[in-house]
Amino acid sequence: MRLRYTSWIAERCRDDPGMRRQLAGGLRMPLDHKRVQPMHRYVTRWLPKGASDEEQRAYYTVAALIAAQPRIRRGTDEESVPAADSGSQDPDQHADADGAAALSTAPAKSAPYGQSLGSAFAHAAIDAPARERLMRTETAERTLHLLTRQSTNGLHRHLPAAVLYLRDLDVPVDWAQLLQDLIRWPTQSGRISRRWLQDFHRLRTKEEERLSEEKDQQQIPDPGDTED
C-alpha cells in the first residue's frame, strides 16, 4: 500500500496544482497545525487502521515532501516514484520482514521497496562531474551523518532541506522506502542509520574501484605503439 500511496500522491501532484499547494503547505508542520488541515482530504484515506501519531506523521511528511519538490520536466520525474506493477507481488508483504533483509549487501534486497536515502546521497556524489565530485561527496556525507543523528522530530525537521538538495541535482528519491524508514525511525533509527551509511559507502567504494580500474587501463601502453 505504501508504494501505491506515494505513486498516487506524486501522480496527483503532477496533475493537480491545487492539491500540490495544499500538501506542500503542511511541510515541517505538526499534525494538528492549521496548515495541515487541508492535507487530511488526501492523506486520511491511506492511513492504516489504528495508525499511531508517529506513523501518521510519516505519511503526511512524505506527501508534503513529494508536493514541495521542484518541478521537473515531465517525463523525467517519473523515476523518483517506482511504478506499481499490478502483476507483481505486493511489496507490503515484505514490509514487516526481519531487519536482516533490510541490511543485506545485495542492492536489490537492501530494502522492501528500493534504494535507501544513503544510496540517493551516494548518487548525488558519484554522478557529479569530476570537478564537483569531491565537494558533492563532502556535502552528501555531512548531510547524511546529520540526518542519522536526529531524533524523530529532528529527522522530520531536517528532511525537507536534504530532499531538496537531492532533487535539485535530479537524484531520484524512493518515496515508498523513505516512508517505510520514517515509520520505523522511532524504534529502529540505529538500524536504519546503519543501512543508510552502509549503502552510501558501498556505492562510493564501488565507484572508486571503477575509476581506479579505468585509470589503470588508460595507462596500459597500446601494443601497436611499441617499437620493433
Side-chain angles (χ1 to χ4, degrees):
M1 187 180 74
R2 290 162 192 160
L3 181 58
R4 295 195 297 273
Y5 168 69
T6 53
S7 298
W8 183 81
I9 291 290
E11 290 165 4
R12 288 293 303 273
C13 283
R14 280 194 290 266
D15 299 333
D16 188 340
M19 173 181 171
R20 185 186 184 105
R21 286 192 298 271
Q22 289 178 324
L23 292 178
L27 195 65
R28 294 190 180 91
M29 298 295 141
L31 287 177
D32 295 327
H33 195 280
K34 63 181 181 180
R35 289 179 60 181
V36 174
Q37 292 176 0
M39 299 179 69
H40 298 322
R41 173 184 177 186
Y42 308 107
V43 180
T44 302
R45 72 188 75 178
W46 293 94
L47 296 176
K49 184 178 180 180
S52 65
D53 285 354
E54 290 84 0
E55 186 169 2
Q56 290 186 39
R57 188 180 184 185
Y59 276 82
Y60 281 82
T61 291
V62 169
L65 287 171
I66 294 173
Q69 67 175 311
R71 286 191 176 277
I72 312 295
R73 294 185 307 275
R74 191 172 185 86
T76 62
D77 190 35
E78 278 75 1
E79 64 175 337
S80 67
V81 181
D85 183 355
S86 59
S88 63
Q89 190 175 13
D90 188 339
D92 273 352
Q93 293 179 12
H94 302 289
D96 295 321
D98 186 77
L103 294 172
S104 169
T105 56
K109 297 181 181 179
S110 63
Y113 297 101
Q115 75 167 7
S116 71
L117 207 60
S119 297
F121 274 102
H123 283 293
I126 65 181
D127 294 345
R131 64 182 181 279
E132 299 178 17
R133 194 166 296 143
L134 178 60
M135 180 178 66
R136 281 201 198 175
T137 298
E138 293 174 349
T139 299
E141 187 170 7
R142 183 171 62 250
T143 303
L144 189 58
H145 274 281
L146 174 66
L147 293 175
T148 60
R149 294 194 299 267
Q150 298 303 314
S151 64
T152 300
N153 287 335
L155 184 61
H156 281 268
R157 186 171 63 251
H158 286 281
L159 264 178
V163 169
L164 179 62
Y165 171 77
L166 293 171
R167 301 304 292 134
D168 278 344
L169 297 176
D170 286 347
V171 176
V173 173
D174 190 315
W175 301 115
Q177 182 57 53
L178 181 57
L179 174 58
Q180 175 81 345
D181 289 343
L182 280 177
I183 290 171
R184 293 185 172 185
W185 191 265
T187 59
Q188 300 184 29
S189 60
R191 178 176 294 180
I192 295 167
S193 295
R194 171 156 48 106
R195 172 162 49 81
W196 287 2
L197 292 171
Q198 287 177 342
D199 287 350
F200 176 80
H201 290 293
R202 184 179 296 114
L203 285 174
R204 279 199 56 227
T205 298
K206 185 177 180 180
E207 176 66 7
E208 289 171 359
E209 291 173 349
R210 185 191 69 80
L211 291 173
S212 178
E213 181 178 348
E214 185 178 89
K215 183 178 180 181
D216 290 343
Q217 290 177 347
Q218 291 175 348
Q219 292 176 348
I220 298 176
D222 188 335
D225 293 338
T226 58
E227 296 181 358
D228 294 334

